[in-house]
Amino acid sequence: MQKLNLKDKNLYYIGGIVRDELLGLPEKQADIDVTYVGSAIEFCKNLGIGEIVQINDAFGTVRMKINDEYVDFASTRKEIYDKKGHLPTVTEIGCSLKEDVLRRDFTVNALAKSLYDDEIVDYTGGIQDLKDKKLRILHDGSFIDDPTRIIRGLKFSVRFGFELEEKTKILQEKYLENVNRDMCYKRLKQELEDAFNLNRQEVLDKFVEQKIYKLISDKNYANTEINTENLIKKYEVETPWLVYLGNFDLENFDLTSREQKIISDYKMLTEYSGEDMFELYKKFRQVSKESVLLYAIYVDYDFAVNYLEKLSEIKLEITGDDLITLGYKPNENFSKCFDFILREKFKNHKLTKDDELKIAKNFFNKL
Ligand code: CTP
């Protein structure tokens, strides 16, 4: 574990960093999470090393930069979810470590490790659950308080090969039968991104099998045999999660303009009902790979893959300068001519520059 050279009886590593060390996983480059029994803000202000980057008074958290590493200090705190599905309200800062861990998601994430003497503090049976590979929530209302924990459970189960503990599974099923849609979609989106950006088919399989999609829509999931994980491995994309979820109803999410374009382009492709495949090909040329992959998964695998493998490579050799050299004056016929040549090239990719020049001459002769 990345060691912070801070000895204080009130300081504990908390959450993922402790879990991952006990699992024997390699250290992540991620930020270090530390909890302080008391006020982390006061503690950090008096620390005398590093620099404070950000303070959040409401949550009693401080982000510090110490020896070129970011460390997130959190005060021990109690919370209540007065509005279920939304950010909780802090009711006490500086509570006991035990009270702090009890507000967390799963027992395996509720482990603490003392910076003072390296002792592991396990109030909820997290060590046993790590051994048994189980994800167990800490109280019956956990998913009602924070439904994003269902996606977190999905993510952790695939990352670590864990299963939901029996009662947790039942409580998840019960919640999914009656989802409260008034929730913080920003947090839900972040968790969905994290889970699906793992690019593991298993995430989608579980999402569907366990009906987790009900968190975002009642609409039944359109089944597909296509393996999305393999497609994304082959045709790398910037936004893998959207290739998995682009066919779902995402209207409650605050999508970025790029994400919105991926979805609207995919819809635009699906709405094309003409017979002329060249026209469809031209539409493909304007969209990102994510939209093409969605089309491959849900509409026409062969055409989309043929596009990615071959058709996307088609490029015209001639330019406007070549047409001018042939003696033609630049006007709107130039773009018509390029379109005409592209159509020929769509039928026969092997056309050379000379072939293209001949086709251009024919085109202008026929005008
Ligand atoms: N946590 C929680 N409920 C949430 C989000 C987070 O209880 N909805 C708690 C968990 O104790 C978690 C810690 O906050 O361990 C830190 O959260 P996060 O950084 O999202 O996850 P990690 O567990 O650190 O896992 P990783 O970063 O490896 O995904």
Side-chain angles (χ1 to χ4, degrees), residues 14-20 28 30-31 33 72 77 79 81 100-101 103-106 108-111 138 142 146-149 152 155-156 159-160 187 191 194:
I14 195 84
I17 188 168
V18 185
R19 176 200 66 216
D20 288 359
K28 279 192 308 190
D31 311 333
D33 280 320
D72 288 319
R77 66 177 190 261
E79 297 172 337
Y81 286 83
D100 180 89
V101 299
R103 71 177 168 81
R104 292 173 184 270
D105 53 0
F106 298 100
V108 297
N109 286 342
L111 291 160
L138 304 187
S142 185
D146 178 2
T148 67
R149 289 174 173 164
R152 289 175 62 80
K155 171 179 77 177
F156 293 128
R159 255 170 70 185
F160 306 131
R187 296 174 73 206
E191 292 297 346
D194 290 351

Side-chain angles (χ1 to χ4, degrees), residues 67-276:
N67 300 333
D68 277 340
E69 271 189 306
Y70 287 101
V71 186
D72 288 319
F73 288 86
S75 310
T76 44
R77 66 177 190 261
K78 280 209 265 186
E79 297 172 337
I80 49 160
Y81 286 83
D82 39 9
K83 206 167 166 213
K84 305 292 178 200
H86 292 265
L87 273 184
T89 307
V90 176
T91 54
E92 186 184 334
I93 287 195
C95 63
S96 68
L97 180 65
K98 184 170 183 181
E99 286 168 316
D100 180 89
V101 299
L102 291 179
R103 71 177 168 81
R104 292 173 184 270
D105 53 0
F106 298 100
T107 60
V108 297
N109 286 342
L111 291 160
K113 181 177 174 177
S114 165
L115 269 81
Y116 185 74
D117 59 10
D118 286 345
E119 187 200 352
I120 301 286
V121 183
D122 178 12
Y123 289 116
T124 66
I127 293 182
Q128 190 58 44
D129 284 335
L130 276 181
K131 286 187 187 139
D132 297 342
K133 298 175 174 292
K134 294 284 181 209
L135 290 167
R136 183 191 308 266
I137 48 174
L138 304 187
H139 60 93
D140 290 5
S142 185
F143 293 139
I144 300 169
D145 282 348
D146 178 2
T148 67
R149 289 174 173 164
I150 293 180
I151 310 289
R152 289 175 62 80
L154 170 67
K155 171 179 77 177
F156 293 128
S157 72
V158 173
R159 255 170 70 185
F160 306 131
F162 283 15
E163 291 293 332
L164 295 183
E165 168 277 330
E166 206 45 41
K167 191 170 173 207
T168 299
K169 195 167 156 209
I170 292 168
L171 288 166
Q172 175 177 301
E173 280 166 9
K174 217 167 132 198
Y175 184 79
L176 291 171
E177 277 164 21
N178 190 15
V179 174
N180 168 18
R181 287 271 154 63
D182 175 17
M183 66 170 100
C184 177
Y185 281 88
K186 194 172 164 210
R187 296 174 73 206
L188 190 64
K189 182 183 175 220
Q190 186 56 56
E191 292 297 346
L192 286 168
E193 284 188 50
D194 290 351
F196 281 95
N197 282 345
L198 293 173
N199 191 27
R200 298 274 300 274
Q201 190 67 24
E202 222 186 317
V203 173
L204 182 64
D205 293 346
K206 288 185 183 233
F207 190 71
V208 174
E209 268 161 39
Q210 297 176 18
K211 299 195 168 65
I212 299 176
Y213 61 83
K214 290 203 169 206
L215 282 178
I216 53 178
S217 166
D218 273 332
K219 235 190 269 168
N220 265 340
Y221 171 73
N223 213 354
T224 167
E225 296 291 303
I226 310 285
N227 184 301
T228 306
E229 176 180 339
N230 290 343
L231 268 185
I232 292 175
K233 278 191 184 139
K234 189 154 186 206
Y235 306 104
E236 283 171 28
V237 293
E238 213 178 289
T239 321
W241 75 275
L242 216 46
V243 180
Y244 282 97
L245 294 183
N247 207 35
F248 286 86
D249 185 359
L250 299 177
E251 68 179 33
N252 285 320
F253 292 94
D254 195 9
L255 298 181
T256 63
S257 53
R258 181 172 187 278
E259 290 164 346
Q260 275 172 24
K261 186 169 178 336
I262 290 171
I263 304 294
S264 59
D265 283 348
Y266 163 58
K267 292 215 170 104
M268 178 270 289
L269 294 176
T270 60
E271 276 155 15
Y272 178 73
S273 57
E275 302 271 297
D276 188 346

